[in-house]
């Protein structure tokens, strides 16, 4: 009966990150730096709010857009951190992780044949959802531009079919983020065109040395901002995302969201209120720890001779392995077999990720030290 399965669904594949993770699970004594999730526990006070939510019977459906108290906290968060103003009543939706916010956005905006621009290498979560919604992913190679999608790079790709530009900054897999001027130039290029920006800011709280800036600051009417608690509060399993859009768009996003999931988990929403009020700065100590790890791993990689762009956000490094004349998959596989370290082949992040590997440093310093030692030994004996 498989022939009856929707052809768009048959076209898409499981994420290459997961595939590689599952494959290396069979090898013993491997240090895996493959997964993009914080290694910290959810802050204790947030956990307690979740427990209390169950005990106090917050176990029913909520408003489709989420508890008003949470929407208020979410808008306050955006206002306080990035100076953005959204109405809690009708410009924010609490979603099931950022993932569902992305899906909701594509389903709401795309028509058959619409083009969506993806700065690549890119997080693999967008392409399948674009295709399921009938859209066409258009990859823009950023590898010669320090992994940045700038207005100059973007301009030749814009045409009457372009419906949306995905701007995921700081980026997974490169960790690179965009500066204020670069965002302004993109905003000017796109202003008054029939194009939306999907600004995926899930790593906004993990920007090093400078302050995160949202493109919505310059182009509010055409921007959909996605954020959430997965990375900032180490809450990947709680599944809380946030979707901000001008009311004219968010009223339509809400319909898709409503029929898709009704609402995000009531229990997780209660915990999220705590995270975004008393815990609004919970990410700061985690950020300091990541920054220290970044310095360590980056310096080790450079000393080993890797060509690697120094990122300023998220918790990834994306070193080039081009000089080894192997595909990223073969390089990653030999690293697992011969060094006992797992990194994600860059090809999991579109064809423009080929020639690179992604290293997540959301692991303990001890694991990172050991992994770097193993990679160094591996290279010395290669
Ligand atoms: C760029 C980016 N967007 C969205 C997500 C999904 O986030 P969530 O777990 O909140 O669905 C991830 C997760 O790794 C990500 O890296």
């Amino acid at each position: 009966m498989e022939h009856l399965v929707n052809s768009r669904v048959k076209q898409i594949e499981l994420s290459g990150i997961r595939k590689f993770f599952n494959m290396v699970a069979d090898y013993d004594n491997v240090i895996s730096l493959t997964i993009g999730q914080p290694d910290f526990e959810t802050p204790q006070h947030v956990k307690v709010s979740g427990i209390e939510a169950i005990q106090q019977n917050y176990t029913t459906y909520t408003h489709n857009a989420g508890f008003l108290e949470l929407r208020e906290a979410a808008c306050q968060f955006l206002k306080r951190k990035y100076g953005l103003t959204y109405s809690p009543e009708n410009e924010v939706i609490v979603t099931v992780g950022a993932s569902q916010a992305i899906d909701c956005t594509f389903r709401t905006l795309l028509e058959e044949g619409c083009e969506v621009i993806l700065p690549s290498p890119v997080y693999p979560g967008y392409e399948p959802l674009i295709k399921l919604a009938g859209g066409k992913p258009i990859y823009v190679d950023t590898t010669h531009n320090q992994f940045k999608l700038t207005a100059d790079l973007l301009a030749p790709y814009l045409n009457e079919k372009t419906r949306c530009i995905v701007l995921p900054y700081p980026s997974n897999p490169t960790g690179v983020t965009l500066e204020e001027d670069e965002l302004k130039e993109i905003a000017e290029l796109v202003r008054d065109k029939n194009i939306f920006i999907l600004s995926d800011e899930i790593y906004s709280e993990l920007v090093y040395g400078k302050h995160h800036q949202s493109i919505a600051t310059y182009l509010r009417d055409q921007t959909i901002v996605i954020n959430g608690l997965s990375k900032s509060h180490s809450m990947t399993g709680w599944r809380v995302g946030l979707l901000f859009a001008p009311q004219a768009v968010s009223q339509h996003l809400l319909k898709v969201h409503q029929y898709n999931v009704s609402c995000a988990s009531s229990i997780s929403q209660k915990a999220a209120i705590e995270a975004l009020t008393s815990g609004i700065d919970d990410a700061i100590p985690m950020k300091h720890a990541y920054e220290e790890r970044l310095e360590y791993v980056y310096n080790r990689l450079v000393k080993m001779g890797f060509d690697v762009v120094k990122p300023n956000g998220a918790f990834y490094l994306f070193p080039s392995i081009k000089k080894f004349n192997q595909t990223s998959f073969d390089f990653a596989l030999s690293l697992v077999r011969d060094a006992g370290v797992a990194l994600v082949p860059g090809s999991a992040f579109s064809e423009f990720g080929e020639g690179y590997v992604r290293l997540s440093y959301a692991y303990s310093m001890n694991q990172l030290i050991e992994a770097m030692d193993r990679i160094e030994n591996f290279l010395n004996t290669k």
Side-chain angles (χ1 to χ4, degrees), residues 36 96-100 102 123 126 168 170-172 200 202-203 228-231 236 239-241 316:
V96 182
S99 307
Q100 193 233 334
I102 295 167
Y123 170 62
Y126 307 115
S171 149
N172 173 7
D200 183 344
I202 191 76
Y203 295 101
L229 300 181
S230 298
K231 317 288 174 171
T236 50
R239 311 306 300 130
V240 182
Y316 308 106

Side-chain angles (χ1 to χ4, degrees), residues 53-92:
I54 298 174
Q55 283 167 342
Q56 294 166 7
N57 293 311
Y58 285 104
T59 52
T60 59
Y61 295 125
T62 70
H63 186 294
N64 294 125
F67 286 122
L68 181 59
E69 193 185 350
L70 176 53
R71 287 181 274 140
E72 282 166 354
C75 291
Q76 269 306 313
F77 162 75
L78 233 57
K79 174 99 192 146
R80 205 177 117 185
K81 298 262 172 176
Y82 310 116
L84 299 174
T85 306
Y86 286 91
S87 155
E89 276 76 25
N90 51 28
E91 293 188 316
V92 52

Side-chain angles (χ1 to χ4, degrees), residues 224-332:
I224 286 143
V225 175
I226 289 176
N227 211 312
L229 300 181
S230 298
K231 317 288 174 171
S232 61
H233 288 73
S234 196
M235 289 176 70
T236 50
W238 296 77
R239 311 306 300 130
V240 182
L242 300 168
L243 180 54
F244 301 89
Q247 204 245 331
V249 181
S250 72
Q251 59 177 325
H252 297 289
L253 289 166
L254 185 61
K255 291 183 282 183
V256 177
H257 169 75
Q258 167 178 356
Y259 292 115
N260 188 205
V261 294
S262 292
C263 62
S265 147
S266 54
I267 298 149
S268 298
Q269 287 192 50
K270 277 286 174 186
I273 293 171
E274 174 69 15
L276 288 176
T277 51
S278 307
I280 194 164
D281 291 324
D282 280 355
I284 293 173
M286 300 190 234
K287 177 169 112 163
H288 291 322
Y290 292 133
E291 204 171 356
E292 197 184 317
R293 299 173 194 181
L294 167 62
E295 286 301 321
Y296 175 78
V297 178
Y298 173 76
N299 288 331
R300 287 289 305 264
L301 291 176
V302 170
K303 273 198 197 122
M304 287 181 227
F306 281 103
D307 180 9
V308 54
V309 172
K310 188 166 186 189
N312 37 24
F315 33 61
Y316 308 106
L317 282 150
F318 204 60
S320 168
I321 49 117
K322 287 182 180 159
K323 67 177 183 187
F324 298 107
N325 289 324
Q326 271 183 304
T327 64
S328 59
F329 188 88
D330 288 345
F331 181 85

